[in-house]
Amino acid sequence: MRIVLADDAVLLREGLVALLARFNHHVVAVGDAIALAAAVDDERPDVVVTDVRMPPTFTDEGLHAAVALRLRHPGLPVLVLSQYVATAYAAKLLESTDAGGVGYLLKDRILDVAEFVDGVERVAAGGCVIDPEVVRQLLTRRHDPLTRLTPREREVLALMAEGRSNAAITAALTISEKVVGKHINSIFTKLDLPADSTDDHRRVRAVLTYLQPHRQKPAIQREPP
């Protein structure tokens, strides 16, 4: 098969290329969503294998690109291979199964090389391969989205709801501003606030989600830095 593979982690990307080559597949590997779109247009692959988080924001570029590619190339088989579930675009991707093969596997839960390669081949043949954990998280999405946040992310969101800036959150939690930024990006992703909106807009929507009057707010426990 002709495979286009997108992952920003160089060692993992090269390892997957070598692995798939062992099974006589031709792989074109790229490291970001823009290069992914260009490679698909040039190569017209039998299947795309992509991560979710890629440059420049490391939120959901890969999955966003996969959804867009399915619209531009109807029937293009796509297998998402990631460490986490980006529920908003995952739902859009999986809803398009009638247009061809689709899959979503979690890196940490793949325990057998042959099983992974079989999943790639099944998606390329028009099948559907979904990790049960992805299904569980998509079902959770229908209820309270705040349940997807870690305790630290809920704490950061609570401070955002108080109108604190990133610098003020840094001081309150005694963690670096870079770490605060990573928590906020993760909050945006888990609350289904895609990167095609401005950060200010996503910040407001995240706070509105937290402040919905019918929701019982989770207790915020201060964690050690």
Side-chain angles (χ1 to χ4, degrees), residues 78-81 85 90-91 93-97 100-106 109-110 115 118-120 122-123 127-139:
V78 172
L79 172 61
V80 175
L81 179 64
V85 183
L93 180 67
L94 297 177
E95 285 167 1
S96 66
T97 54
V102 67
Y104 203 127
L105 297 177
L106 300 179
R109 290 168 56 88
I110 296 174
E115 182 180 347
D118 177 67
V120 175
R122 286 166 57 195
V123 169
C128 184
V129 180
I130 306 173
D131 189 288
E133 176 63 17
V134 175
V135 176
R136 187 192 69 79
Q137 291 200 33
L138 288 174
L139 290 174

